[in-house]
Amino acid sequence: MGRLEGKVAVITGAAGGIGRVASARFVAEGCRLVMVDLSTEQLEQAAADLDPDRVEICEADVSSVQDSQRYIKAAVDRFGGIDILVANAGIEGQVARIVDYDVEEFDRVIAVNLRGVWLGIKYAFPQMIERGGGSIVVTSSTAGVTGSAVLSAYNASKHGVIGLMRSAARDGARQNIRVNTVNPCPVETRMMRSIETGIDGDDAQSVYERIQDSIPLGRYADPAEIANLMLFLVSDESSYLTGGVYMADGGSTS
Ligand code: NAD
């Protein structure tokens, strides 16, 4: 028996570095899955090696009300309901100090990283209540508990989802819906390459090495190490855990 046998999951940002690995892991553990991201083509690539009988892909922008309702409906229509939501889609936004940061870019980061998570929770809740409960994992970050001079919108959004998670955990507790965040430090994905280049476009490699050095374990996380924590938090093994902030940060915030 897989650890997610019989469950239906939705993962947003499923074509990205962490979401793709988590998708494969969840399906290997027996669940049926809706993979949500911005581009059908990228979703098809991410799902290429997965069992098509267990996977539905759904092109959707998580910051849109209609798209959020549509991806939840896709899970209900194809698989009969939802037990698990991993609200993982996110963008880093500009790498700039506050005085140089575009106002529109600030709004976009908050729309995707905070409003998008709120919408996912809002529309998943009724479906989870129908099933007698569920588990929601939100991808926050070490940026959700610390600050960086050049990632103000990202920092604000990742702090924001912790508050949202705590509220949703209290909201859903008596209906057996658990809500937690995972908080990774730098992970080996596209997002960190973008941030490293944003910090120093002429010498991104030095930035990478400097950040690695600052992490007690001395390296970035592998996406699988984040997916492992997500898997535990959405499985019944974590049945008493809700309202928690789970650092996966190599000791960075110790
Ligand atoms: P990634 O860029 O590889 O993946 C993010 C995915 O989200 C992409 O596939 C992107 O298309 C999708 N996405 C962006 N905007 C969207 C929208 N409006 N609607 C639907 N999908 C959208 O990066 P990743 O590292 O896999 O990031 C996944 C999550 O982990 C993000 O929330 C990110 O903030 C968080 N995180 C990443 C790191 C890191 O170092 N990579 C560290 C801490 C937290």
Side-chain angles (χ1 to χ4, degrees):
M1 279 282 277
R3 292 159 73 187
L4 303 182
E5 209 68 51
K7 309 256 191 207
V8 178
V10 174
I11 299 181
T12 70
I18 296 171
R20 188 179 181 139
V21 173
S23 294
R25 194 71 213 282
F26 281 24
V27 172
E29 292 292 347
C31 80
R32 288 166 297 160
L33 175 69
V34 176
M35 298 172 69
V36 178
D37 211 300
L38 288 172
S39 133
T40 297
E41 195 186 333
Q42 285 177 7
L43 281 165
E44 282 172 352
Q45 281 171 18
D49 296 332
L50 306 181
D51 178 356
D53 289 341
R54 293 185 162 271
V55 173
E56 177 80 19
I57 61 171
C58 183
E59 182 179 296
D61 176 348
V62 297
S63 68
S64 147
V65 170
Q66 290 79 10
D67 283 15
S68 298
Q69 289 171 323
R70 193 164 48 73
Y71 76 68
I72 296 291
K73 188 171 182 301
V76 176
D77 288 350
R78 171 88 193 269
F79 299 127
I82 297 180
D83 306 289
I84 292 164
L85 170 66
V86 179
N88 167 74
I91 53 175
E92 66 278 19
Q94 257 177 299
V95 180
R97 303 189 62 166
I98 293 171
V99 292
D100 301 320
Y101 208 101
D102 294 339
V103 175
E104 295 73 23
E105 181 77 342
F106 179 87
D107 289 343
R108 194 171 75 93
V109 171
I110 298 297
V112 175
N113 295 6
L114 184 54
R115 173 185 153 105
V117 173
W118 185 80
L119 289 172
I121 293 172
K122 178 176 173 61
Y123 297 120
F125 254 52
Q127 299 304 329
M128 291 182 169
I129 291 167
E130 286 260 313
R131 307 271 274 194
S135 177
I136 298 175
V137 170
V138 179
T139 310
S140 176
S141 172
T142 49
V145 298
T146 61
S148 154
V150 291
L151 289 171
S152 55
Y154 187 74
N155 275 136
S157 69
K158 293 299 181 181
H159 277 70
V161 290
I162 292 177
L164 170 58
M165 171 277 291
R166 289 188 171 126
S167 175
R170 294 230 168 220
D171 190 348
R174 292 300 167 98
Q175 285 147 324
N176 199 30
I177 300 172
R178 301 185 295 108
V179 193
N180 294 286
T181 64
V182 298
N183 294 60
C185 67
V187 186
E188 295 284 2
T189 72
R190 179 214 64 81
M191 187 175 283
M192 280 312 299
R193 300 292 94 82
S194 158
I195 292 172
E196 291 151 6
T197 305
I199 292 171
D200 185 351
D202 295 330
D203 195 0
Q205 181 62 25
S206 295
V207 177
Y208 175 53
E209 287 164 12
R210 211 167 58 234
I211 298 174
Q212 285 208 105
D213 269 354
S214 73
I215 300 169
L217 283 183
R219 62 177 176 83
Y220 283 20
D222 185 275
E225 294 174 304
I226 310 307
N228 284 340
L229 177 58
M230 291 171 164
L231 172 61
F232 172 66
L233 287 172
V234 301
S235 77
D236 292 339
E237 293 158 25
S238 60
S239 52
Y240 202 60
L241 306 189
T242 195
V245 175
Y246 292 91
M247 307 308 299
D249 68 354
S252 295
T253 52
S254 59

